[in-house]
């Protein structure tokens, strides 16, 4: 593995399977009475969050603590960033405090890359979501969840069909998932209105469709993306009702899926918009499981980056 | 130059003797749990449990696996390693006598890590150690309760245990590049 995890494309097939296998062993720790391993004792993990997040920050914090690392949480609100401190000066502060890993979320695409390659810090950098670019640990936990349900929790996802629906344009989850799922051998179909597809999507290793009903009968996993209204500065679709009608997942559409198919959502959900409450809480939904698996995946990533003299 | 110090029949006899010793010392198979240390300790533990079942009819000793990777003291000296499975038998280990089973006893550091790992899974009544080969050179105050064979070695030599389940044959070889 590379020294940093900045993009899902950094992971080779073997790296990705190693992360998933490691996460599977570490998942057992969460079920024990003593939910702790001594592995990263004395190491410092900084959660550097320039953007709001609930589950990702908590998930990284729980993962680091279960490996006995010291965790420093840094959020832009209430820090010197709101006084105008630059990313560089924040990084130099972290370096001076001896951070071994920095988990960064930033609204600017490429901020983690800048942090990792600027020479400001010597810590390993983990991208926890940068702008509309990437969110590799989300893709890993999604792949883990799919592998548990569709491949008996072993190997890769060769030949599985995954359909990702919704606001691909603003979604870092979609990009990371397409890259990682392709690495793991799955076929990905993106479904979105033309206005919510990024420029250059034709070069991604996936298919693109404007119609949701068509790919459903052949899908093993269906991932609904959140409509990111906070990033929308223009009208991308006529009305929420029309979006929900054409690209939302309701019980009728869910019934078109094969018997074994699972329904996923990276959260937070807009219930009634991209997914109805009935489907989100239904038997095919693995949305809560995704959150649980997130802790195991992040433990695996932190262990593989920090556990040895060099990354695995 | 590698020398074979144990062959298939030797290993078989050693494991039978260890099974007898465990039963004698614990006065039966009740409350026993065998925990193999991956990778080669696990098939050895299974074989000892099979021997116990033939010696004491009706004895069904639970066998588990205990991965010690996350508890090693040399983690930071080598690249991060892949994990092996940890399997705790459904009966658990609380109040039972746990016999740790490993292929080679050397510095004692693996056993130290195993004791740490075990203490986070529960509280055994007692912990014993069974190894197929004791090659000496201890760095910790640790000794085995049951030893298949004591093999005097130099520090330059390597001891390689092969088991049929993983390597296709049973043997123990020793040499500078075994």
């Amino acid at each position: 593995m590379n020294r940093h995890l900045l993009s899902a494309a950094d992971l080779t097939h073997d790296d990705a399977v190693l992360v998933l296998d490691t996460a599977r062993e570490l998942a057992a720790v969460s079920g024990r009475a003593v939910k702790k391993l001594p592995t990263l004792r004395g190491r410092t993990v900084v959660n550097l969050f320039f953007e709001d997040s609930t589950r990702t920050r908590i998930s990284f914090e729980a993962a680091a603590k279960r490996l006995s690392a010291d965790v420093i949480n840094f959020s832009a609100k209430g820090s010197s960033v709101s006084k105008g401190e630059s990313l560089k000066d924040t990084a130099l502060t972290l370096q001076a405090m001896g951070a071994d890993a920095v988990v960064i979320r930033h609204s600017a695409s490429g901020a983690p890359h800048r942090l990792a390659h600027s020479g400001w810090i010597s810590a390993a950098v983990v991208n926890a979501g940068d702008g509309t670019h990437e969110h590799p640990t989300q893709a890993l936990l999604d792949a883990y969840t799919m592998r548990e349900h569709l491949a008996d929790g072993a190997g890769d996802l060769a030949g599985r069909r995954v359909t990702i629906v919704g606001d691909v344009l603003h979604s870092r989850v979609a990009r990371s998932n397409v890259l990682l799922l392709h690495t793991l051998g799955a076929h990905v179909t993106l479904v979105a209105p033309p206005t919510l597809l990024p420029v250059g999507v034709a070069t991604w290793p996936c298919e693109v469709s404007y119609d949701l009903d068509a790919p459903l009968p052949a899908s093993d996993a269906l991932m609904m993306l959140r409509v990111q209204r906070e990033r929308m500065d223009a009208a991308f679709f006529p009305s929420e009702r029309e979006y929900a009608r054409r690209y939302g997942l309701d019980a009728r559409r869910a019934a078109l899926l094969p018997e074994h198919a699972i329904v996923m959502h990276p959260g937070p959900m807009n219930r009634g918009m991209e997914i109805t409450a009935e489907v989100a809480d239904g038997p095919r939904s693995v949305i809560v499981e995704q959150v649980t698996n997130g802790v195991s995946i992040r433990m695996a990533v932190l262990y593989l980056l920090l556990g040895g003299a060099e990354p695995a | 130059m590698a020398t074979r110090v144990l062959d298939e029949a030797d290993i078989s006899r050693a494991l039978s003797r260890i099974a007898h010793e465990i039963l004698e010392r614990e006065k039966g198979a009740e409350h026993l749990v065998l925990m193999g240390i991956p990778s080669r300790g696990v098939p050895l533990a299974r074989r000892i449990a099979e021997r116990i079942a033939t010696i004491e009819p009706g004895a069904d000793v639970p066998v588990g696996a205990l991965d010690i990777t996350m508890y090693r003291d040399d983690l930071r000296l080598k690249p991060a390693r892949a994990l092996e499975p940890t399997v705790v038998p459904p009966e658990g280990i609380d109040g039972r006598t746990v016999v740790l089973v490993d292929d080679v006893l050397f510095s004692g550091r693996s056993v130290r890590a195993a004791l740490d790992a075990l203490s986070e899974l529960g509280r055994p009544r007692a912990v014993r150690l069974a190894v197929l080969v004791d090659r000496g050179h201890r760095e910790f105050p640790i000794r085995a309760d049951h030893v298949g064979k004591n093999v005097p070695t130099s520090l330059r030599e390597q001891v390689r245990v092969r088991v049929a389940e993983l390597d296709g044959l049973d043997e123990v070889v020793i040499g500078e590049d075994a």
Side-chain angles (χ1 to χ4, degrees), chain A residues 36 39 41 43 303 309, chain B residues 70-71 76 78 81 120:
Chain A
K36 215 164 177 78
T39 316
R41 209 159 60 89
R43 301 281 181 118
Y303 164 66
Chain B
M70 303 298 263
Y71 297 87
R76 285 189 206 169
K78 295 175 186 172
R81 282 175 264 207
E120 301 205 330

Side-chain angles (χ1 to χ4, degrees), chain B residues 2 4 6 11 40 44 47 103 132 159-174 177-178:
Chain B
R4 182 187 272 194
L6 292 179
I11 291 175
R40 285 171 187 72
L44 293 177
R47 290 196 214 175
D103 52 355
L132 184 59
V159 176
R160 190 70 71 221
V161 173
R162 297 194 173 92
V163 294
E165 292 89 332
L166 299 173
D167 310 295
L169 83 166
D170 278 354
E171 66 171 5
V172 179
V173 294
I174 171 173
D177 48 1

Side-chain angles (χ1 to χ4, degrees), chain A residues 18 22 25-26 28 32-34 36-43 67 303-312, chain B residues 66-67 69-72 74-88 116-117 119-122:
Chain A
L18 174 65
T22 305
E25 294 305 328
L26 292 173
R32 305 193 323 203
V34 182
K36 215 164 177 78
L37 293 165
T39 316
L40 297 185
R41 209 159 60 89
R43 301 281 181 118
L67 292 170
Y303 164 66
L304 293 170
L305 290 181
L306 294 185
E310 54 193 81
Chain B
L66 184 66
D67 181 46
T69 309
M70 303 298 263
Y71 297 87
R72 299 188 74 99
D74 60 353
L75 266 179
R76 285 189 206 169
L77 305 179
K78 295 175 186 172
R81 282 175 264 207
L83 304 184
E84 303 271 355
T86 290
V87 182
V88 181
D116 281 355
S119 71
E120 301 205 330
L121 295 177

Side-chain angles (χ1 to χ4, degrees), chain A residues 211-214 216-217 222 243-258 263 276 278-279 284:
Chain A
D211 173 29
L212 178 53
D213 286 358
L216 288 182
L222 178 62
Y243 180 88
R245 185 73 66 82
R246 294 197 60 184
Y247 294 101
L249 182 63
D250 55 14
R252 179 192 69 80
R253 285 213 167 96
L256 297 176
L257 289 164
V263 171
T276 64
E278 188 185 1
V279 179
R284 292 168 180 284

Side-chain angles (χ1 to χ4, degrees), chain B residues 15-138:
Chain B
L15 292 177
S16 293
R17 180 172 50 74
I18 289 173
H20 279 284
E21 280 181 12
I22 291 172
L23 285 172
E24 189 181 3
R25 168 146 190 194
E26 310 305 330
K27 302 188 168 59
E30 226 187 332
H31 306 306
L32 264 184
V33 177
L34 301 183
M35 293 291 275
I37 298 177
S39 39
R40 285 171 187 72
V42 179
L44 293 177
R46 273 197 210 103
R47 290 196 214 175
I48 293 172
E50 284 163 16
R51 302 286 153 88
I52 289 176
T54 60
I55 302 162
E56 297 256 315
D60 186 12
V61 178
V63 179
L66 184 66
D67 181 46
I68 59 164
T69 309
M70 303 298 263
Y71 297 87
R72 299 188 74 99
D73 59 6
D74 60 353
L75 266 179
R76 285 189 206 169
L77 305 179
K78 295 175 186 172
R81 282 175 264 207
L83 304 184
E84 303 271 355
T86 290
V87 182
V88 181
E91 297 85 348
I93 60 168
D94 287 334
R96 290 169 170 267
T97 297
V98 173
V99 182
L100 293 172
V101 181
D102 205 357
D103 52 355
V104 180
L105 179 59
F106 184 20
S107 65
R109 288 175 189 268
S110 297
V111 177
R112 202 255 343 138
L115 291 171
D116 281 355
L118 203 56
S119 71
E120 301 205 330
L121 295 177
R123 186 182 185 279
R125 192 181 67 77
V127 183
R128 315 278 185 226
L129 175 62
V131 297
L132 184 59
V133 174
D134 182 349
R135 63 168 293 188
H137 305 290
R138 214 74 77 241

Side-chain angles (χ1 to χ4, degrees), chain A residues 13 38 159 239:
Chain A
H13 178 273
S239 72

